[in-house]
Amino acid sequence: MAQLMVVLDATIVNIALPSAQQALGISDANRQWVITAYTLAFGGLLLLGGRIADLVGRKRTFMVGLVGFAVASGIGGAATGPGMLFGARALQGSFGALLAPSALSLLTTTFTRGRERSKAFGVYGAIAGGGAAIGLLAGGLLTEYLNWRWCLYVNVPVAVVACTGAAVLLRDRGGRGRVHLDVPGVALGCGGLVSIVYGCSEAASRGWKDGLVVGMLVWGVTLLGAFTWWQTRAQHPLLPLQVVRDRNRGGAFLTMALAVIAMFGMFLFLTYYLQAVLGYSPIKAGLAFLPMTAAIVVGSTQISARLLHRLAPRLLMVPGALLAATGLFTLRFLTAAPAYAAHVLPAELLVGLGMGLIFMPVMATATAGVAPQDAGVTSATVNTAQQVGGSIGTALLNTIAASTSATYIAGHLARAARSTRRPGLDPAIRAGIVKDGVVHGFTTAIGVGSGIMLLAAVVAGVVVNGKAPQRRPARAANGAESAEAGV
């Protein structure tokens, strides 16, 4: 429930944004901060949140994150002006950065063996993959039948139930006796992530050549380079480098980032296609995503969860990425004419099944065999790969779509004007060219996304070489117990 809440809030506000903008008088220039304030705080503070969970205890951090997220949601729902809403969204992201890694690390340390672990990660993978689509549906329903404020208020009862369940059901060791926090590592790591996420978010509107965008990306990469250098020298590093040096874990992180780059672009363009091109209402557009959500759930819980303890992880990841790439490539043939049943639905089913096969083994592989004292920061790194991948995917593919559409529209308008030999172009012809140009931009960008998904398949197949978990259950269990005793 906690993970669903965090994933939902990345998309649930999108559909409510026009209503919130009108109600609070938010300018067009500032409306992006309703989204950006959340993603900046969440993506930038994940590593810190993961390390805090390791230091003070995962259950405690989890419950603090739930309470804080609920309070921030209530403040956002009651916002009386733009500043109050922006601040509440940033606060949501900050507590989400506590909540997400502690949730995954609790899952990692609670379910350690074979079939049980596979089932747990199957459910978690279904939520991580399908939550964004559920957010679009929930946002449409709440906005249309209640109002935009309930897209934030809805988190409060969910958090109350999850917090009650955590208090009763969760068990976790306490935090370390003496807490050591790598302050320079926090400043460098979080600063670098914030810079990169912000640069990518600004690239969507400014373009990749804009001075601010280039400056933020270069600064972010520089800070992360300094962070890596510092982690080799820090006595108590924020991110122990053995976490990312492991071949299978590093391959899982990279596969996750590449898959999310491709998938987030598809969510963005299909939302616009269904509403702006086909004229779907917000609710109808949300319902149109349900088949993909169902396919993700089936892929995670009924296929991956049943096979992960029998097959090597890449034997799930690679077919999953190939299925998703095929589904994305199917969308290359979209036109401005209604084509939901012919193109969108088959693509959603293929992408959904593929993502269900990717997410679950990626998360299980990324967190397998890690020492308990590093479970939180490892879980945070998984979430960071997902968050940064989503930011890059949205900005990169949106830029490709916008530039391709502009070129198409300008060329076809000029050609149509020459062919008619009249001073003015018929409005219906102009509107048709514009609509065709928008769809052409979407399909081109989605085609690039398909190529990125193929690259994820290559990475998973070449880099991830771990064996099926059932081949080393006793050793893994004994190692976890020894590590726990050592801590």
Side-chain angles (χ1 to χ4, degrees), residues 37-52:
Y38 180 86
T39 57
L40 277 180
F42 183 64
L45 297 176
L46 273 167
L47 285 179
L48 176 60
R51 181 49 86 194
I52 289 174

Side-chain angles (χ1 to χ4, degrees), residues 407-421 425 433:
T407 302
Y408 180 99
I409 291 169
H412 282 70
L413 285 177
R415 198 173 302 125
R418 287 195 301 269
S419 65
T420 58
R421 297 179 181 179
L425 196 61
I433 291 174

Side-chain angles (χ1 to χ4, degrees), residues 368-401:
V370 69
Q373 68 269 23
D374 293 326
V377 75
T378 304
S379 301
T381 308
V382 179
N383 282 281
T384 299
Q386 191 174 358
Q387 178 65 30
V388 173
S391 298
I392 293 173
T394 300
L396 173 63
L397 298 180
N398 190 51
T399 303
I400 293 171

Side-chain angles (χ1 to χ4, degrees), residues 196-483:
I196 288 175
V197 172
Y198 180 65
C200 290
S201 66
E202 286 295 304
S205 57
R206 294 172 177 264
W208 290 98
K209 295 181 181 180
D210 181 80
L212 175 65
V213 172
V214 173
M216 294 304 294
L217 293 177
V218 170
W219 181 239
V221 171
T222 302
L223 288 177
L224 290 182
F227 169 77
T228 303
W229 171 83
W230 173 252
Q231 295 309 283
T232 64
R233 288 156 175 79
Q235 186 175 2
H236 303 283
L238 177 66
L239 176 61
L241 292 185
Q242 67 265 21
V243 168
V244 293
R245 280 177 180 158
D246 178 84
R247 173 174 178 164
N248 290 298
R249 197 170 293 121
F253 293 152
L254 186 54
T255 301
M256 169 68 83
L258 291 170
V260 171
I261 287 174
M263 192 183 77
F264 265 62
M266 187 205 67
F267 273 125
L268 175 68
F269 300 133
L270 273 188
T271 302
Y272 278 115
Y273 175 78
L274 293 172
Q275 295 188 60
V277 178
L278 300 188
Y280 283 19
S281 68
I283 291 178
K284 190 175 180 181
L287 288 170
F289 279 105
L290 279 185
M292 181 163 61
T293 305
I296 291 174
V297 172
V298 170
S300 290
T301 62
Q302 302 305 311
I303 301 177
S304 290
R306 294 175 184 272
L307 296 178
L308 182 63
H309 62 286
R310 299 178 182 176
L311 296 177
R314 66 178 171 183
L315 295 182
L316 293 171
M317 294 181 199
V318 173
L322 293 175
L323 272 176
T326 303
L328 290 172
F329 189 75
T330 302
L331 294 174
R332 283 280 289 121
F333 303 100
L334 282 178
T335 66
Y340 180 81
H343 289 104
V344 177
L345 181 59
E348 284 188 352
L349 294 175
L350 287 171
V351 172
L353 282 172
M355 295 310 293
L357 290 174
I358 295 171
F359 270 166
M360 185 267 191
V362 161
M363 291 179 175
T365 302
T367 55
V370 69
Q373 68 269 23
D374 293 326
V377 75
T378 304
S379 301
T381 308
V382 179
N383 282 281
T384 299
Q386 191 174 358
Q387 178 65 30
V388 173
S391 298
I392 293 173
T394 300
L396 173 63
L397 298 180
N398 190 51
T399 303
I400 293 171
S403 60
T404 305
S405 293
T407 302
Y408 180 99
I409 291 169
H412 282 70
L413 285 177
R415 198 173 302 125
R418 287 195 301 269
S419 65
T420 58
R421 297 179 181 179
R422 295 178 182 176
L425 196 61
D426 184 271
I429 296 176
R430 178 182 293 272
I433 291 174
V434 170
K435 184 178 285 190
D436 288 340
V438 169
V439 174
H440 178 70
F442 291 170
T443 56
T444 301
I446 289 175
V448 174
S450 176
I452 294 172
M453 191 65 80
L454 285 176
L455 182 58
V458 172
V459 170
V462 173
V463 180
V464 179
N465 64 354
K467 305 299 182 183
Q470 70 167 8
R471 299 182 188 180
R472 56 178 191 274
R475 185 172 64 186
N478 293 338
E481 290 166 8
S482 299

Side-chain angles (χ1 to χ4, degrees), residues 13-24 26 31 143 148 275:
V13 177
N14 289 20
I15 289 179
L17 185 54
S19 301
Q21 181 182 358
Q22 183 178 4
L24 300 180
I26 303 172
R31 66 184 175 188
T143 301
W148 67 269
Q275 295 188 60

